[in-house]
Amino acid sequence: MYNLRLSPEQLQIRDTVRDFVAEVIKPLALKPQRLEARARPLLVEALDKAAEMGLRTLALSEDRGGAGADNLTCCIVTEELAVGDPDVAAVLAQTSTLAQALFDRLMTAEQRARFLPPFLAQQRYHLALAEHEADRDAALGINYHRPQASGAPFKTTAVRAGDGLAISGSKDGVVGASLATLFVVRASVSESSVATLLVPRDTPGLSVTETEAATRTRHGACGTVTFDDCRVPAENFLGAESPLAAAAGATSRRIKRSISESAALPMKGRSITRNCARRAGAPSSSTRQSAPSSPRSPSGSKWRAPPFGKRPGLRTTRTRSPIAAFPTCR
């Protein structure tokens, strides 16, 4: 029978992220000048600190340098982050999900050798999926009652140009467009064939326009990515249909669920999680010792979480990961 109770490690991760949200994200997100402003920029400072904790590479396998966390753990982390700021949660969730899909499954060895080292080395190296297009009604979504358009082509096209590919078109609602270093672009290569391409941000012909906060329909510092005869080498071609769209949809559902739950039942939700912790045999958030696992800093000082693998009293099931990250939860 499937066990719905959280493991002690998952409870520790949840509580640590919850403390991080309360001490770092919420003070920045709830500043009066930010709440009153029309434009609400992404909380880059909080995003950087979350990346240092290992949240950016949460789903990436340990063999590739990540934490190797399972889907349930990733959902828990995303929901806790969204309570503090949905944009931060969306950007981190997308980067983590795309990293696992790309580096663990879709990339060739040559592509992995080119893109993985800088991704691990730079904390601000984020990934973005450029797929959505205006007036393209191919996904089921709210139109579940309609027949799904099979193989509906994108308006964005990728055609052969010398030794590479030339991309032309536009993508809107791209989560993390304002700071992504690498874009995963979905484009039509023929009337019935769709391909996935890796396009670095500094590629000539690629431009990004950030969407104003007041007009956004998605969380995550969305923007429009335009390709004007954007040339990429043939080695950046990932191939035909991939599961990236499904992964992006799952991330969006996590964000929406966390927002609705935290807004409607904030106190009840917390009491439920405490009950789960007691049933699992782990200390609740009200009685756990926060000093060794989630240290607090005096008001106004810089919050800094030590690497999870070096925290006293925290059992880590795997130790092969070369970077400081979350313990693997099974």
Side-chain angles (χ1 to χ4, degrees), residues 166-183:
I167 307 174
S168 298
S170 179
K171 303 286 187 178
D172 65 352
V174 180
V175 176
S178 62
L179 73 163
T181 303
L182 179 66
F183 291 93

Side-chain angles (χ1 to χ4, degrees), residues 8 18 44 55 57 64 80 104 114 116 121 149 180 183 192 230 235 327:
R18 182 172 293 174
V44 179
L55 298 180
T57 56
R64 306 298 184 199
E80 291 296 334
D104 287 341
R114 280 193 291 134
L116 183 57
F183 291 93
S192 59
C230 181
E235 292 78 13

Side-chain angles (χ1 to χ4, degrees), residues 78-200:
T78 300
E79 291 185 0
E80 291 296 334
L81 289 171
V83 172
D85 187 80
D87 290 333
V88 171
V91 171
L92 286 170
Q94 178 174 245
T95 295
S96 176
T97 302
L98 289 177
Q100 193 272 337
L102 292 173
F103 298 121
D104 287 341
R105 294 186 285 121
L106 299 178
M107 283 187 177
T108 64
E110 186 273 334
Q111 290 170 339
R112 194 177 299 114
R114 280 193 291 134
F115 293 107
L116 183 57
F119 174 75
L120 295 177
Q122 303 171 26
Q123 296 290 3
R124 288 194 178 181
Y125 196 120
H126 289 276
L127 308 173
L129 175 62
E131 181 189 47
H132 184 268
E133 293 180 348
D135 303 325
R136 182 177 184 268
D137 189 17
L140 290 179
I142 61 174
N143 303 310
Y144 60 89
H145 57 283
R146 303 179 188 174
Q148 186 174 14
S150 177
F154 289 98
K155 294 180 180 179
T156 302
T157 60
V159 298
R160 284 285 180 179
D163 295 333
L165 297 162
I167 307 174
S168 298
S170 179
K171 303 286 187 178
D172 65 352
V174 180
V175 176
S178 62
L179 73 163
T181 303
L182 179 66
F183 291 93
V184 183
V185 182
R186 306 268 286 156
S188 297
V189 293
S190 68
E191 293 183 357
S192 59
S193 180
V194 176
T196 306
L197 303 159
L198 302 171
V199 186

Side-chain angles (χ1 to χ4, degrees), residues 66-325:
D70 60 15
N71 290 334
L72 177 57
T73 303
C74 293
C75 288
I76 294 169
V77 170
T78 300
E79 291 185 0
E80 291 296 334
L81 289 171
V83 172
D85 187 80
D87 290 333
V88 171
V91 171
L92 286 170
Q94 178 174 245
T95 295
S96 176
T97 302
L98 289 177
Q100 193 272 337
L102 292 173
F103 298 121
D104 287 341
R105 294 186 285 121
L106 299 178
M107 283 187 177
T108 64
E110 186 273 334
Q111 290 170 339
R112 194 177 299 114
R114 280 193 291 134
F115 293 107
L116 183 57
F119 174 75
L120 295 177
Q122 303 171 26
Q123 296 290 3
R124 288 194 178 181
Y125 196 120
H126 289 276
L127 308 173
L129 175 62
E131 181 189 47
H132 184 268
E133 293 180 348
D135 303 325
R136 182 177 184 268
D137 189 17
L140 290 179
I142 61 174
N143 303 310
Y144 60 89
H145 57 283
R146 303 179 188 174
Q148 186 174 14
S150 177
F154 289 98
K155 294 180 180 179
T156 302
T157 60
V159 298
R160 284 285 180 179
D163 295 333
L165 297 162
I167 307 174
S168 298
S170 179
K171 303 286 187 178
D172 65 352
V174 180
V175 176
S178 62
L179 73 163
T181 303
L182 179 66
F183 291 93
V184 183
V185 182
R186 306 268 286 156
S188 297
V189 293
S190 68
E191 293 183 357
S192 59
S193 180
V194 176
T196 306
L197 303 159
L198 302 171
V199 186
R201 187 186 189 90
D202 58 358
T203 304
L206 184 153
S207 60
V208 177
T209 303
E210 188 172 357
T211 305
E212 292 186 6
T215 60
R216 289 178 190 166
T217 58
R218 297 182 179 184
H219 295 290
C222 296
T224 299
V225 183
T226 303
F227 305 93
D228 183 12
D229 194 30
C230 181
R231 304 293 181 97
V232 295
E235 292 78 13
N236 287 21
F237 180 83
L238 276 179
E241 294 290 346
S242 69
L244 291 175
T251 298
S252 177
R253 288 191 294 273
R254 297 174 195 168
I255 299 292
K256 292 176 182 177
R257 175 187 172 187
S258 63
I259 294 173
S260 62
E261 289 183 353
S262 62
L265 298 170
M267 296 306 296
K268 183 178 179 182
R270 180 159 290 238
S271 65
I272 290 175
T273 54
R274 286 176 180 172
N275 290 336
C276 290
R278 287 193 289 269
R279 291 173 184 173
S284 65
S285 57
S286 62
T287 58
R288 71 182 187 277
Q289 294 180 354
S290 59
S293 59
S294 50
R296 301 176 185 269
S297 300
S299 176
S301 62
K302 184 177 180 181
W303 193 97
R304 188 171 184 83
F308 278 86
K310 297 180 181 179
R311 294 189 177 191
L314 179 59
R315 178 176 60 86
T316 304
T317 56
R318 299 182 186 178
T319 57
R320 296 192 305 272
S321 176
I323 63 173

Side-chain angles (χ1 to χ4, degrees), residues 38-77:
R38 177 180 175 84
R40 295 174 184 166
L42 185 65
L43 300 176
V44 179
E45 180 183 350
L47 198 65
D48 290 345
K49 292 180 180 179
E52 292 177 4
M53 293 172 62
L55 298 180
R56 191 177 60 96
T57 56
L58 183 64
L60 185 64
S61 67
E62 288 191 359
D63 293 338
R64 306 298 184 199
D70 60 15
N71 290 334
L72 177 57
T73 303
C74 293
C75 288
I76 294 169
V77 170

